[in-house]
């Protein structure tokens, strides 16, 4: 009779991979929201829209790069940029 030689599952490694996937997904969603806000500024902004949008894109890229190295809390720098840039956008329109 053939023996079952399949190794058992490494659940610790699966949990680690899943946790990394969730952290990367959070960072990706917040970064995409940042870029959407920058596109909104480019599309509907006034005279300074290109400058403000460019600063927003660069800040989003920097926050995403920092977030990649932070691990589980990597979405926080991008979220801070989203909130600050969103407030600046709303205040500049008013």
């Amino acid at each position: 009779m053939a023996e079952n030689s399949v190794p058992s599952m490494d659940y610790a490694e699966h949990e680690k991979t899943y946790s990394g996937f969730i952290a990367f997904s959070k960072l990706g969603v917040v970064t995409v929201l940042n870029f959407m806000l920058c596109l909104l500024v480019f599309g509907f902004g006034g005279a300074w829209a290109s400058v403000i949008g460019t600063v927003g894109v660069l800040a989003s890229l920097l926050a995403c790069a920092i977030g990649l190295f932070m691990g589980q809390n990597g979405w926080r720098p991008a979220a801070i940029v989203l909130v600050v840039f969103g407030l600046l956008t709303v205040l500049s329109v008013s």
Side-chain angles (χ1 to χ4, degrees), residues 30-61:
V30 175
T31 302
V32 167
L33 289 174
N34 278 334
F35 287 132
M36 296 288 283
L37 185 62
C38 292
L39 287 173
L40 181 78
V41 169
F42 279 129
F44 297 108
W48 286 92
S50 60
V51 174
I52 294 170
T54 303
V55 169
V57 167
L58 293 176
S60 298
L61 287 174

Side-chain angles (χ1 to χ4, degrees), residues 44-89:
F44 297 108
W48 286 92
S50 60
V51 174
I52 294 170
T54 303
V55 169
V57 167
L58 293 176
S60 298
L61 287 174
L62 182 64
C64 183
I66 291 170
L68 286 174
F69 291 106
M70 288 183 64
Q72 293 299 323
N73 295 325
W75 59 273
R76 290 182 178 173
I80 291 170
V81 169
L82 179 67
V83 169
V84 169
F85 191 63
L87 287 174
L88 287 175
T89 304

Side-chain angles (χ1 to χ4, degrees), residues 8 17 19 29-30 34 36-37 43 46 49 59 65 74 94:
S8 64
T17 302
S19 177
V29 166
V30 175
N34 278 334
M36 296 288 283
L37 185 62
S94 301

